[in-house]
C-alpha cells in the first residue's frame, strides 16, 4: 500500500517522483527500494516516467524480466532501470558550472564544504550558483551535501562499518547526527541498513 501525497494505492511496483511526500506499508518478506538521483542523465528519464506514472501499478512492465533472488542487487537495478528508460546513451542534464560545483563537493564533503568555495570552482557568484544548483539538481546546495553524506554512510555500512564509523567517515558530527538526518529523509533509523542488502555504487549516469 503506497500513500502518495495523501492518495493511497495498492501496487506491487510503483514510481514516486522526487520531492513528493510518501510512505508505504509492505508485508512481503522481501522488497526492493531504488533511490535514483533525478539530475543524472538516466535519472532524468526515470523522473519523467515517474511524473507520468506516479502511483500506478507497474507490475506488468517488469513481469517478463524473471528476476532472480540470487542475482546481485546492482545487476537487478540495472535491468529495472533499462526497462524504464531504455538502453540509449544518456545525455548530460547539468551545466558545466554545476558539474564543477559537484566536482568540488566530491573532494570536500567529508570536511566542511562551503557554498562560496563551490561557487569559486564554478566561476559564478554564490547567489547565481544557489539558483542554478537548485534548479538543475532539484535541491539546495546544503541539502545536497547532506544527501551525499547519507550516500557515503550507506556505502560504508554496506562495506562493513558500524554506524558510528559510517557517520564520522561521511562527515556527520556523530552517529546521533546521522540518525536524525536519516530519519528525516527515509522515515527509518539507520540501523535498518544492517538488515538490508545494499547496492550503493553509482549506476552509469
Amino acid at each position: 500500500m503506497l500513500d502518495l501525497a495523501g492518495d493511497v494505492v495498492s501496487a506491487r511496483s510503483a514510481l514516486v517522483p522526487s520531492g513528493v511526500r510518501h510512505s508505504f506499508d509492505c508485508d512481503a518478506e522481501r522488497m526492493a527500494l531504488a533511490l535514483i538521483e533525478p539530475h543524472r542523465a538516466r535519472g532524468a528519464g526515470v523522473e519523467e516516467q515517474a511524473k507520468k506514472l506516479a502511483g500506478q501499478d507497474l507490475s506488468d512492465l517488469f513481469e517478463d524480466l524473471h528476476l532472480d533472488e540470487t542475482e546481485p542487487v546492482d545487476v537487478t537495478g540495472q535491468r529495472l532501470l533499462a526497462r524504464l528508460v531504455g538502453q540509449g546513451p544518456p545525455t548530460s542534464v547539468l551545466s558545466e558550472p554545476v558539474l564543477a560545483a559537484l566536482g568540488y563537493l566530491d573532494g570536500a564533503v567529508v570536511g566542511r564544504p562551503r557554498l562560496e568555495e563551490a561557487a569559486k570552482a564554478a566561476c559564478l557568484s554564490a547567489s547565481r550558483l544557489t539558483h542554478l544548483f537548485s534548479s538543475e539538481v532539484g535541491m539546495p546546495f546544503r541539502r545536497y551535501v547532506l544527501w551525499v553524506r547519507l550516500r557515503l554512510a550507506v556505502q560504508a555500512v554496506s562495506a562493513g562499518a558500524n554506524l558510528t564509523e559510517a557517520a564520522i567517515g561521511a562527515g556527520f558530527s556523530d552517529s546521533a547526527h546521522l540518525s536524525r538526518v536519516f530519519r528525516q529523509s527515509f522515515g527509518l533509523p539507520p540501523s535498518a541498513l544492517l538488515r538490508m542488502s545494499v547496492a550503493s555504487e553509482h549506476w552509469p549516469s
Side-chain angles (χ1 to χ4, degrees), residues 5-65:
D7 294 328
V8 180
V9 297
S10 176
R12 291 183 60 209
S13 304
L15 286 170
V16 178
S18 62
V20 175
R21 184 175 294 276
H22 63 280
S23 63
F24 54 84
D25 183 15
C26 177
D27 59 5
E29 291 185 5
R30 302 176 75 246
M31 68 168 294
L33 176 65
L35 304 175
I36 302 172
E37 295 182 344
H39 64 275
R40 294 184 179 273
R42 292 201 189 280
V46 175
E47 178 71 357
E48 289 181 10
Q49 292 286 69
K51 290 176 180 177
K52 295 176 185 176
L53 305 173
Q56 295 185 32
D57 189 342
L58 303 180
S59 301
D60 291 346
L61 182 63
F62 305 118
E63 188 173 11
D64 62 341
L65 281 183

Side-chain angles (χ1 to χ4, degrees), residues 7-196:
D7 294 328
V8 180
V9 297
S10 176
R12 291 183 60 209
S13 304
L15 286 170
V16 178
S18 62
V20 175
R21 184 175 294 276
H22 63 280
S23 63
F24 54 84
D25 183 15
C26 177
D27 59 5
E29 291 185 5
R30 302 176 75 246
M31 68 168 294
L33 176 65
L35 304 175
I36 302 172
E37 295 182 344
H39 64 275
R40 294 184 179 273
R42 292 201 189 280
V46 175
E47 178 71 357
E48 289 181 10
Q49 292 286 69
K51 290 176 180 177
K52 295 176 185 176
L53 305 173
Q56 295 185 32
D57 189 342
L58 303 180
S59 301
D60 291 346
L61 182 63
F62 305 118
E63 188 173 11
D64 62 341
L65 281 183
H66 305 295
L67 300 179
D68 183 350
E69 291 187 5
T70 65
E71 182 177 70
V73 178
D74 58 328
V75 174
T76 299
Q78 289 279 13
R79 295 175 64 200
L80 294 173
L81 184 63
R83 179 57 58 92
L84 280 171
V85 299
Q87 298 279 10
T91 56
S92 177
V93 295
L94 299 178
S95 64
E96 288 299 324
V98 170
L99 287 171
L102 291 174
Y104 158 78
L105 185 56
D106 283 341
V109 68
V110 296
R112 292 182 176 274
R114 295 172 53 83
L115 174 63
E116 293 76 11
E117 293 299 319
K120 186 182 297 184
C123 300
L124 295 175
S125 68
S127 59
R128 177 57 183 159
L129 178 62
T130 295
H131 173 77
L132 200 61
F133 195 96
S134 296
S135 174
E136 294 186 16
V137 176
M139 65 178 73
F141 179 82
R142 289 182 175 82
R143 181 64 193 173
Y144 188 75
V145 169
L146 289 178
W147 168 249
V148 174
R149 285 177 170 164
L150 283 173
R151 194 172 64 203
L152 290 174
V154 169
Q155 290 171 338
V157 171
S158 68
N162 62 42
L163 294 178
T164 298
E165 293 168 339
I168 300 302
F172 292 100
S173 55
D174 52 31
S175 59
H177 186 199
L178 168 62
S179 182
R180 287 195 302 274
V181 176
F182 200 95
R183 284 181 179 274
Q184 290 169 358
S185 300
F186 306 125
L188 295 168
S191 58
L193 291 169
L194 303 176
R195 304 189 299 274
M196 298 179 183

